[in-house]
Amino acid sequence: MSELNLVLLGPPGSGKGTQGERLQQDLELPYYATGDILRAAVREGTELGRKAKEYMDRGDLVPDEVIVGVIAERVAGSEAEDGFILDGFPRTTVQAEALDSEVNRLGRALTATIFIDVSDEEVVRRLGGRRTCANGHIFHVEFDPPERAGICDVCGGELVVRDDDKPDVIRNRLERYHAETEPLVAYYDERGLLHRIDGSATPDAVSESIRATLATLRMEEEA
Ligand SMILES: [Zn+2]
């Protein structure tokens, strides 16, 4: 395939980050988690990085055009000439349009959007069961329980539910996710770019579905 320009979508707790890392290794493509590349631009003190920093220092959201600019700088670089994997952006259709026009301006286009679909119940089960110690060791009451309930196996510290993993917070995150992402799913579906992956399966099975989807895309391109 000439280029593989991918966007990853999925709710919190969908395993999107894990799949992104695996894809990066499988495909040998750069993985752009937008928070990370934004912080990198700030650290490197690029023009856009300095702009982003002004907003971040004030505690304001970094505007879309700055984020899109940071992404475009990366996409235009030689590391991304065979493609890239984008995670964490776009989150809204306005951002998706801005990303499209910037990527098109570079003479490129998105190849596919991989949507890792997980039900709200499963998200609540995954995130709500997490227990974390003060040193950041993470367990799960169901999938990865510590030997003694409430005590970290690694450091012996007390395991608690982080604020982010509390039921009310998870529900709020899910509500915001649905409000923002459902139009985005429709946006990519209309453009024939959306590939829905059942994210309720094991991480290995999800990786396998994504691989199969990309293999099909490649065959269609060659046909
Ligand atoms: Zn610990």
Side-chain angles (χ1 to χ4, degrees), residues 133 135 137 152 154-157:
C133 76
N135 291 318
H137 303 124
C152 175
V154 184
C155 68

Side-chain angles (χ1 to χ4, degrees), residues 59-203:
D60 290 338
L61 284 177
V62 180
D64 292 349
E65 64 268 22
V66 175
I67 302 178
V68 170
V70 170
I71 294 169
E73 271 183 342
R74 295 298 193 106
V75 170
S78 58
E79 62 177 22
E81 64 188 13
D82 293 330
F84 56 86
I85 304 159
L86 196 55
D87 180 4
F89 191 94
R91 286 187 199 277
T92 64
T93 51
V94 173
Q95 292 179 343
E97 283 164 4
L99 178 67
D100 272 347
S101 67
E102 196 61 22
V103 168
N104 293 344
R105 206 177 55 79
L106 296 168
R108 316 258 302 250
L110 293 181
T111 315
T113 298
I114 304 289
F115 173 40
I116 305 177
D117 197 8
V118 178
S119 70
D120 286 5
E121 298 75 59
E122 180 66 14
V123 169
V124 170
R125 188 164 156 240
R126 289 181 183 181
L127 298 183
R130 292 211 293 203
R131 299 293 181 270
T132 312
C133 76
N135 291 318
H137 303 124
I138 302 172
F139 296 83
H140 193 284
V141 289
E142 195 178 339
F143 308 125
D144 181 22
E147 283 192 22
R148 284 185 296 158
I151 307 289
C152 175
D153 287 353
V154 184
C155 68
E158 187 196 356
L159 293 174
V160 300
V161 180
R162 283 188 328 160
D163 285 345
D164 257 8
D165 299 332
K166 290 190 170 141
D168 285 356
V169 178
I170 298 174
R171 266 194 298 276
N172 280 337
R173 288 170 76 188
L174 277 170
E175 262 173 43
R176 204 175 55 220
Y177 165 78
H178 284 297
E180 290 179 343
T181 310
E182 266 150 30
L184 197 54
V185 166
Y187 176 93
Y188 285 123
D189 204 11
E190 280 161 21
R191 284 158 182 76
L193 291 173
L194 191 81
H195 298 272
R196 196 183 290 261
I197 305 287
D198 175 8
S200 66
T202 63

